[in-house]
Amino acid sequence: MAFELPKLPYAFNALEPNIDARTMEIHHGKHHQAYVTNLNNAIAGTETEKMSIEDICRNISKFPVPVRNNGGGHYNHSLFWNILTPNASAAPVGALADAISTNFGSFDDFKTKFAAAATTRFGSGWAWLVKNEAGKLEISSTPNQDNPLMDIAEVKGTPILGLDVWEHAYYLHYQNRRPDYISAFWNVINWDEVAKRFSK
Ligand code: MN3
């Protein structure tokens, strides 16, 4: 079965002023759609069509570059839309909050370290909060559309929070001010969804 563009769980303008409506519309409808279309084209008529996007990522070293770029693009953006919300709480609670404090010192320390990973990713890529195989939290960043599920990733595990730092994610509103976009990201995080991914 071919992969499909997931519906955005809120309106294009729902994340204003943190992420503008025009950016959301193009990012979801054009960029993410292109990853889905190109992934489907890259795997058409092969056994890969029967695989989940997670399993494709876990075995990505066996696939050609178009599957890595577009499969990663599809997985990453599907995660990204779901960890954003117009009804954000300021900070996580419960087991996730405890794990963040244990691993990074405090929630503020975590934010500083995550923002540094997002800011210093050269060119296009993503910053991640990862639950590794030992169940511990790690911060990482990946180039292009790679992600921590991939067998080629430096830090491997399950991504539970991700921030797209490609210019297409922020340039219309923030131009070259990536740090301002990263600051705004904290206002629109769906911590319930991140906690759900953490507890899995
Ligand atoms: Mn993107």
Side-chain angles (χ1 to χ4, degrees), residues 13 27 90 103 158 189 197:
N13 65 359
H27 200 178
N103 283 271
T158 305
I189 297 178
R197 290 171 181 272

Side-chain angles (χ1 to χ4, degrees), residues 17-172:
N18 299 288
I19 305 178
D20 66 284
R22 186 78 178 125
T23 294
M24 289 300 294
E25 191 177 353
I26 296 170
H27 200 178
H28 177 262
K30 303 290 185 198
H31 290 276
H32 190 172
Q33 179 64 66
Y35 296 125
V36 170
T37 301
N38 294 334
L39 173 63
N40 286 333
N41 289 341
I43 64 175
T46 73
E47 289 294 301
T48 312
E49 282 187 310
K50 296 175 189 152
M51 292 175 72
S52 69
I53 191 62
E54 289 82 5
D55 282 340
I56 291 173
C57 288
R58 288 187 189 104
N59 295 282
I60 206 70
S61 63
K62 298 175 191 147
F63 290 100
V65 170
V67 175
R68 176 170 167 180
N69 288 341
N70 295 292
H74 176 45
Y75 177 88
N76 296 348
H77 289 84
S78 300
L79 179 151
F80 189 51
W81 311 133
N82 280 306
I83 57 92
L84 298 175
T85 178
N87 307 307
S89 52
V93 294
L96 175 60
D98 294 344
I100 286 175
S101 293
T102 304
N103 283 271
F104 306 110
S106 69
F107 181 60
D108 281 340
D109 288 333
F110 157 71
K111 284 172 73 176
T112 302
K113 288 167 187 164
F114 186 94
T119 307
T120 57
R121 165 50 51 193
F122 183 77
S124 298
W126 291 73
W128 303 102
L129 177 60
V130 184
K131 186 181 178 186
N132 69 21
E133 276 165 12
K136 290 192 83 176
L137 293 176
E138 288 186 71
I139 290 166
S140 74
S141 83
T142 54
N144 305 314
Q145 295 297 353
D146 288 357
N147 65 53
L149 272 189
M150 292 181 174
D151 56 1
I152 45 89
E154 237 171 86
V155 174
K156 289 185 207 41
T158 305
I160 64 170
L161 176 72
L163 176 58
D164 187 343
V165 294
W166 283 57
E167 283 188 345
H168 70 222
Y170 63 86
Y171 204 86
L172 286 182

Side-chain angles (χ1 to χ4, degrees), residues 5-21:
L5 182 69
K7 220 173 134 5
L8 205 62
Y10 36 75
F12 291 129
N13 65 359
L15 306 177
E16 297 249 14
N18 299 288
I19 305 178
D20 66 284

